[in-house]
Amino acid sequence: MPLPLRVMGWDLVIVADDSGSMEEGFTPVGMRACGEVGPSRYSVLGKDVELLLDIFEKADVLFHSGGVLRGVGRADVCLAKKFMKVPQGKTRLMETLAAAVGHADPTRNTLFVMSLDGPPSCTAKHLLRFLRSLSQFPFRFLLLPYSPSLA
């Protein structure tokens, strides 16, 4: 059931980590019951994307592997299918974020939600320099860590 909250006047861009490590369990082994598998980090990300789409209605979703879904909603079959696949590849946060920013309208308020579960393919210093270079645009950035070591 959709939430009563709706965000108006903002675009949403999700930079989704679909690297191979996202197949690992979301809950660390030491915090699970013996033999319990639990959901993968990628399936939890899929549920988080659904929740964001309840609030924003539509979004562009760019995956680290290079896949792009433009203007998708919560009920779009292509989005559901993407999160049913096994994640694979590398954590390419910087490259994917640069592509996302390159397609964003620099005159519109845009929230970029970035997900990752490990070190990105760039240094934190490089990433912060890139984000600061965008300060003249109405962009905001949110990082969702999917690993206890990043939280």
Side-chain angles (χ1 to χ4, degrees), residues 13-109:
V13 177
I14 300 169
V15 178
D17 187 349
D18 61 346
S19 64
S21 60
M22 288 293 282
E23 190 175 11
E24 294 179 22
F26 181 74
T27 308
V29 175
M31 298 176 71
R32 289 183 275 185
C34 185
E36 180 185 16
V37 176
S40 72
R41 296 171 183 173
Y42 195 59
S43 65
V44 171
L45 172 59
K47 295 296 181 194
D48 290 347
V49 168
E50 286 179 2
L51 179 61
L52 286 166
L53 289 173
D54 280 341
I55 298 169
F56 282 85
E57 247 178 289
K58 296 270 184 206
D60 289 344
V61 184
L62 287 82
F63 295 88
H64 290 209
S65 65
V68 178
L69 300 174
R70 299 254 182 238
V72 294
R74 189 182 206 280
D76 284 346
V77 175
C78 58
L79 184 65
K81 283 183 179 178
K82 181 64 178 167
F83 281 102
M84 286 193 288
K85 292 183 178 180
V86 175
Q88 50 191 321
K90 302 211 180 286
T91 303
R92 298 175 50 238
L93 176 64
M94 193 65 211
E95 297 91 333
T96 311
L97 181 59
V101 167
H103 284 95
D105 182 340
T107 65
R108 292 192 44 87
N109 293 327

Side-chain angles (χ1 to χ4, degrees), residues 101 105-110 133-141:
V101 167
D105 182 340
T107 65
R108 292 192 44 87
N109 293 327
T110 305
S133 75
L134 302 169
S135 63
Q136 73 272 24
F137 301 111
F139 298 160
R140 298 294 175 262
F141 299 89

